[in-house]
């Protein structure tokens, strides 16, 4: 995967980065969104594909992106399809920080050290090229304004932005209400993005036992009963295997 194209996790994080404060909006749900964005990026690269409400590896060849390839390898090791909600809801080791460090290495942001209350060390991140963030935002604005079905990458980005609650950050106040609504509606334009975005929202709402209806509006089939009792064994971050129950996963 060449570096000429930004990945969806990178774009989601840049969308969430506040240029004024150097902090990220929705930090807790953003980690879930980044885990979901990795799945969408791997699907667009032809490495994984949806299987009902699960994710199956269809090509194990590395993409060339180390962070994505770590996730792909862990998915491959599972040996069987993983429920998206269990992968995304797995315990995290700071996926947001991993990607902030990645963006810094790529030269897209730079870290600014500071202190809170004059004592606690803090780190803010400033975009080095605001044109990149403006371009990402312009794609979402265009899809919302024109109503023209967006390309799969933009549709998936919109779905994840809505899922993690960035709508109120991007389109605040009463004047942004219609834009937030249209942002939510873009979720229907990409089946994989929709599956992952719904999984992100399910984890935030503590929903993990019941399979979600598939993108074409049908149920997940006869296996739904057995899937409902599956335990959360998929990792959400490509650094650590899952341990514990879904209740613990949501707590992260």
């Amino acid at each position: 995967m060449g570096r000429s194209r930004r990945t969806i996790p990178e774009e989601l994080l840049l969308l969430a980065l506040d240029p004024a404060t150097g902090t990220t909006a929705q930090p807790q749900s953003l980690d879930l969104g980044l885990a979901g964005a990795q799945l969408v990026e791997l699907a667009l690269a032809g490495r994984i594909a949806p299987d009902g409400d699960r994710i199956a590896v269809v090509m194990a060849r590395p993409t060339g992106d180390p962070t994505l390839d770590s996730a792909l390898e862990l998915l491959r090791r599972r040996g069987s399809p993983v429920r998206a909600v269990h992968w995304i809801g797995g315990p995290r080791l700071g996926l947001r920080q991993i990607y902030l460090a990645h963006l810094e290495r790529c030269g897209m942001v730079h870290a600014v050290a500071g202190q809170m209350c004059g004592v606690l060390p803090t780190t803010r991140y400033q975009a080095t090229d605001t044109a990149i963030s403006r371009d990402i935002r312009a794609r979402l604005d265009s899809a919302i304004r024109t109503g023209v079905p967006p390309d799969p990458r933009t549709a998936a980005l919109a779905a994840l932005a809505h899922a993690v609650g960035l709508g109120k950050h991007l389109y605040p106040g009463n004047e942004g209400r219609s834009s937030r609504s249209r942002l939510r509606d873009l979720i229907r334009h990409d089946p994989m993005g929709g599956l992952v975005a719904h999984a992100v929202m399910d984890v935030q709402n503590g929903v993990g036992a019941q399979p979600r209806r598939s993108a074409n509006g049908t149920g997940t089939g006869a296996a739904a009963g057995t899937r409902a009792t599956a335990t959360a064994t998929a990792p959400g971050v490509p650094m650590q295997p899952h341990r514990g129950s879904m209740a613990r996963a949501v707590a992260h």
Side-chain angles (χ1 to χ4, degrees), residues 29 61 67 69 71 85 93 118 121 131 167 188 194 196:
S29 58
R61 179 166 56 84
T67 310
D69 289 341
V85 71
L93 281 179
R188 70 183 187 274
V196 169

Side-chain angles (χ1 to χ4, degrees), residues 129-151:
D129 186 353
T130 56
I132 295 176
S133 297
R134 289 198 301 270
D135 172 70
I136 299 169
R137 175 67 180 270
R139 283 165 41 213
L140 289 186
D141 290 346
S142 177
I144 287 173
R145 183 179 63 255
T146 65
V148 175
D151 63 274

Side-chain angles (χ1 to χ4, degrees), residues 52 211-214 216-222 224:
R212 175 167 290 279
R213 295 173 67 86
S214 63
N216 62 8
T218 62
T220 56

Side-chain angles (χ1 to χ4, degrees), residues 59-85:
M59 182 191 300
R61 179 166 56 84
T63 66
D65 181 303
T67 310
L68 290 175
D69 289 341
S70 295
L72 177 62
E73 174 61 14
L74 286 179
L75 285 166
R76 185 194 66 79
R77 289 179 187 174
R78 283 299 306 277
S80 61
V82 179
R83 283 191 67 195
V85 71

Side-chain angles (χ1 to χ4, degrees), residues 220-239:
T220 56
T226 56
R227 290 179 184 178
T229 61
T231 55
T233 55
V237 176
M239 295 291 288

